Amino acid sequence: MSKSHYQGNLFVDPLSSETFVLQREGLDIRYQENWVSAEIADYWFDCLLSEIEWQQDTVTVYGKKHLTPRLSYWMGEHWMSYTYSRNTMQAHPWQDLPLIIKQKIEKATGHQFNSVLINYYRDGQDSNGWHADDEPELGDEPVIASLSLGAVRDFHFRSKRDHSKKHKLCLRNGSLLTMQGATQSQWQHHVPKRASAGSRINLTFRRMVRSS
Ligand SMILES: O=C(O)CCC(=O)C(=O)O
Ligand SMILES: [Mn+2]
């Protein structure tokens, strides 16, 4: 594990130079760099960029509507709806490539998923604010598998109880981050802006246990 992959002061259990697990204070994550080769990651990036009908959602914060600073698209089973920041969204049907990726991730992680939220960060000005994926639709202690394609971006965690407790990863092209246990109930995460970053697509595979 090199310093460039992880900055923080948690105990880290290195599985290999490119894989590590952090399990402490409710944070429970596993990061695998080069989960797919750069060649495959670049190919998937190009396919998704052209095949998905990207949307820019609105969120309501303190009664004011804002456009999210990224584009996104949500796929899942036909019965699914999801409420996020007072917006209820209906899942779009699965497309071939996300379904193939889902199956590959299920095999690698041993966890089953039934939906994916795909985010497209057009450049370093796009971002994802502090939040936790702790909606009731995801059940208790959800497992979320997050595949990164394209530009490297920082990924920060902070404890919900004590915002001064923070940890930071760099999510690289072709990497897979798995978050589980109490990660969503006890921690928040965000992707800050990054000057002059190129474009990036992130897929977070989730298992919805109920509709909203
Ligand atoms: O872009 C990422 O790496 C994370 C995306 C995320 O946290 C989300 O969509 O809930
Ligand atoms: Mn999230």
Side-chain angles (χ1 to χ4, degrees):
M1 190 205 65
S2 93
K3 277 249 156 54
S4 65
H5 300 158
Y6 171 73
Q7 291 154 32
N9 58 1
L10 286 179
F11 170 74
V12 172
D13 180 16
L15 300 178
S16 76
S17 59
E18 297 180 335
T19 298
F20 65 82
V21 171
L22 295 174
Q23 289 175 316
R24 199 166 139 179
E25 298 181 281
L27 190 63
D28 188 349
I29 62 173
R30 179 191 179 102
Y31 176 78
Q32 290 169 268
E33 201 161 291
N34 301 317
W35 185 75
V36 288
S37 67
E39 204 181 357
I40 292 176
D42 292 347
Y43 176 66
W44 285 356
F45 179 97
D46 290 343
C47 293
L48 293 169
L49 188 58
S50 61
E51 285 170 9
I52 287 180
E53 283 183 40
W54 298 103
Q55 301 173 349
Q56 191 164 21
D57 296 325
T58 44
V59 288
T60 308
V61 183
Y62 298 116
K64 258 186 118 178
K65 282 189 183 241
H66 299 269
L67 285 172
T68 53
R70 64 191 172 279
L71 306 185
S72 56
Y73 197 82
W74 181 43
M75 270 175 222
E77 312 297 322
H78 62 92
W79 53 268
M80 289 177 178
S81 64
Y82 189 58
T83 302
Y84 174 75
S85 191
R86 291 196 226 156
N87 261 4
T88 300
M89 298 189 289
Q90 211 62 44
H92 293 100
W94 283 102
Q95 293 177 16
D96 290 347
L97 181 56
L99 202 52
I100 289 167
I101 298 173
K102 176 175 100 76
Q103 285 158 358
K104 194 172 157 63
I105 289 182
E106 285 175 339
K107 212 167 162 197
T109 62
H111 294 284
Q112 302 295 306
F113 304 97
N114 58 16
S115 65
V116 63
L117 180 61
I118 311 179
N119 286 309
Y120 172 37
Y121 301 84
R122 295 159 290 185
D123 58 30
Q125 292 310 299
D126 276 353
S127 61
N128 202 328
W130 284 113
H131 70 280
D133 298 305
D134 56 1
E135 291 81 9
E137 293 92 326
L138 294 169
D140 293 335
E141 307 214 324
V143 177
I144 296 180
S146 166
L147 177 69
S148 292
L149 307 172
V152 59
R153 293 293 291 260
D154 294 334
F155 192 72
H156 295 238
F157 286 98
R158 76 178 179 195
S159 162
K160 285 186 185 175
R161 214 175 321 143
D162 177 358
H163 286 181
S164 70
K165 277 190 186 160
K166 289 184 183 167
H167 302 286
K168 177 180 135 189
L169 309 173
C170 288
L171 301 183
R172 297 179 188 277
N173 189 24
S175 70
L176 184 69
L177 173 72
T178 313
M179 300 181 270
Q180 56 190 10
T183 303
Q184 304 304 328
S185 59
Q186 296 187 20
W187 293 76
Q188 293 178 316
H189 51 270
H190 93 134
V191 179
K193 291 182 184 184
R194 189 188 237 220
S196 70
S199 50
R200 168 176 184 264
I201 292 175
N202 172 264
L203 301 94
T204 50
F205 290 87
R206 299 138 187 262
R207 201 172 84 78
M208 306 264 301
V209 295
R210 69 182 84 104
S211 230
S212 62

